[in-house]
Amino acid sequence: MELEGRGAGGVAGGPAAGPGRSPGESALLDGWLQRGVGRGAGGGEAGACRPPVRQDPDSGPDYEALPAGATVTTHMVAGAVAGILEHCVMYPIDCVKTRMQSLQPDPAARYRNVLEALWRIIRTEGLWRPMRGLNVTATGAGPAHALYFACYEKLKKTLSDVIHPGGNSHIANGAAGCVATLLHDAAMNPAEVVKQRMQMYNSPYHRVTDCVRAVWQNEGAGAFYRSYTTQLTMNVPFQAIHFMTYEFLQEHFNPQRRYNPSSHVLSGACAGAVAAAATTPLDVCKTLLNTQESLALNSNITGHITGMASAFRTVYQVGGVTAYFRGVQARVIYQIPSTAIAWSVYEFFKYLITKRQEERRAGK
């Protein structure tokens, strides 16, 4: 590794023993230079009192310091792949969660736990019933997560440099997660509305196009964003807790910030569980706004539930305080592997793409 601030006549390997200089003096000066104490041609210090930087040659490229020209593309590709895979793998549990959050479910759709619900849905409604609506979810998850992770990584670095230069700032992590959520939810909210209406028990929609057409004709385009403010009210604190917890755990499990699959899985799972449990009441209200559950509508004098305050009031009128925590078990069970998959896949693809870029750059 070349030294910064090397003298005009210096070479990478250190100065040779010149006239009037003993081998011992040359070795001592060479040691000083390697520790960054030597002065450059302009007389400035080159990293005085700074220890030499050692990089394990087998550790591969530093994937947290991506090439400047490809940073956004790398994060967007890795984020899109992670988002699609996360939603596809966990979709059956997501279907169960939606049903368990129903305020006044049909007697045939009352479930004791997640496994029993999944088994009964498959047995009575068919093997593929828990997967209905997966295509629209995957279509929305790709661009939503691409924007989400790219925005998060960019803002995290920018804000950390301002708040805590050269270090990691939990405030920056939380703020970056909140802003990234604005973009994610704007792209994902219409898909969420269609998905949850198709997941409900006795849903009249068998195809995505049927659901989109019916919502558009009967309720207007605004129905696709009716729950947007509630979604943000839920997801902003969720993502703030999620990212702060993830980065906090990474500092303990992976302080060198190397690619470490086990630390990414563990940190992601714990972060998702904590954030999911804390924001379950908001998720129940979001589900109500998305589905406009017919039995719950009978408890609302306006005929349509159109805002967060109205949703909170309706949930309490129908089920009391405990109704705010309907489906909490399914939500946590869903979120633990979901965030673990998202972070591990995202970090893997970020590492893989960065490694390929570095190999191409080295080959030029």
Side-chain angles (χ1 to χ4, degrees):
M1 181 181 294
E2 295 187 0
L3 296 174
E4 297 177 353
R6 193 172 53 225
V11 294
R21 183 185 298 158
S22 69
E25 291 173 333
S26 297
L28 179 61
L29 181 58
D30 181 66
W32 285 347
L33 283 172
Q34 290 184 16
R35 286 191 295 272
V37 182
R39 294 183 180 272
E45 289 189 4
C49 301
R50 186 172 58 198
V53 178
R54 293 185 176 90
Q55 183 172 352
D56 184 358
D58 298 327
S59 65
D62 179 8
Y63 83 113
E64 289 288 358
L66 300 179
T71 302
V72 174
T73 302
T74 299
H75 289 310
M76 292 187 78
V77 172
V81 174
I84 293 172
L85 186 59
E86 167 203 347
H87 282 281
C88 288
V89 171
M90 298 306 301
Y91 195 80
I93 306 299
D94 186 53
C95 177
V96 171
K97 176 184 74 72
T98 297
R99 293 196 180 191
M100 293 184 75
Q101 287 180 337
S102 175
L103 295 178
Q104 292 183 335
D106 187 282
R110 297 180 187 272
Y111 311 112
R112 290 192 299 269
N113 55 60
V114 175
L115 290 179
E116 188 235 0
L118 193 58
W119 166 247
R120 282 177 54 188
I121 292 171
I122 292 174
R123 188 185 60 178
T124 60
E125 302 176 53
L127 178 63
W128 297 106
R129 180 62 182 89
M131 306 301 289
R132 186 183 296 177
L134 175 62
N135 51 347
V136 70
T137 300
T139 302
H145 281 73
L147 292 170
Y148 174 67
F149 278 108
C151 178
Y152 170 71
E153 294 284 2
K154 179 66 176 178
L155 281 177
K156 180 181 76 170
K157 184 179 185 308
T158 302
L159 294 176
S160 291
D161 289 343
V162 174
I163 298 172
H164 189 189
N168 181 40
S169 168
H170 295 304
I171 296 176
N173 298 333
C178 292
V179 176
T181 300
L182 298 176
L183 296 177
H184 172 274
D185 288 357
M188 195 66 188
N189 209 86
E192 281 282 321
V193 172
V194 175
K195 175 200 76 172
Q196 291 197 308
R197 294 198 181 205
M198 297 183 72
Q199 288 174 333
M200 293 296 287
Y201 179 74
N202 274 341
S203 171
Y205 310 113
H206 294 274
R207 294 187 303 178
V208 171
T209 53
D210 294 337
C211 184
V212 172
R213 187 182 304 111
V215 173
W216 184 283
Q217 292 176 348
N218 299 329
E219 303 175 50
F224 293 105
Y225 282 94
R226 184 180 286 133
S227 66
Y228 183 58
T229 53
T230 300
Q231 183 104 335
L232 289 178
T233 304
M234 176 188 73
N235 280 344
V236 165
F238 175 91
Q239 298 301 349
I241 296 170
H242 171 206
F243 281 116
M244 291 173 69
T245 305
Y246 179 81
E247 298 289 351
F248 173 78
L249 292 173
Q250 281 291 286
E251 287 184 354
H252 288 76
F253 298 143
N254 187 18
Q256 288 78 30
R257 293 305 178 107
R258 301 280 175 82
Y259 175 61
N260 185 338
S262 61
S263 77
H264 300 317
V265 169
L266 183 59
S267 299
C270 293
V274 172
T279 57
T280 295
L282 293 165
D283 192 46
V284 171
C285 294
K286 182 209 73 172
T287 298
L288 178 60
L289 286 168
N290 279 344
T291 61
Q292 294 292 300
E293 192 179 348
S294 58
L295 290 175
L297 287 175
N298 295 331
S299 303
N300 189 278
I301 59 174
T302 63
H304 271 93
I305 304 170
T306 56
M308 183 178 64
S310 177
F312 264 95
R313 185 167 54 252
T314 303
V315 170
Y316 183 78
Q317 288 174 349
V318 174
V321 175
T322 57
Y324 291 114
F325 293 92
R326 285 182 181 270
V328 63
Q329 179 196 46
R331 179 166 165 77
V332 172
I333 290 175
Y334 168 84
Q335 208 65 53
I336 288 175
S338 177
T339 48
I341 291 170
W343 276 112
S344 58
V345 172
Y346 171 69
E347 300 285 5
F348 169 73
F349 274 89
K350 190 170 72 170
Y351 169 77
L352 182 64
I353 294 170
T354 304
K355 187 176 180 180
R356 294 289 175 83
Q357 290 170 347
E358 291 292 338
E359 288 174 351
R360 285 199 298 267
R361 286 159 61 95
K364 291 183 179 179

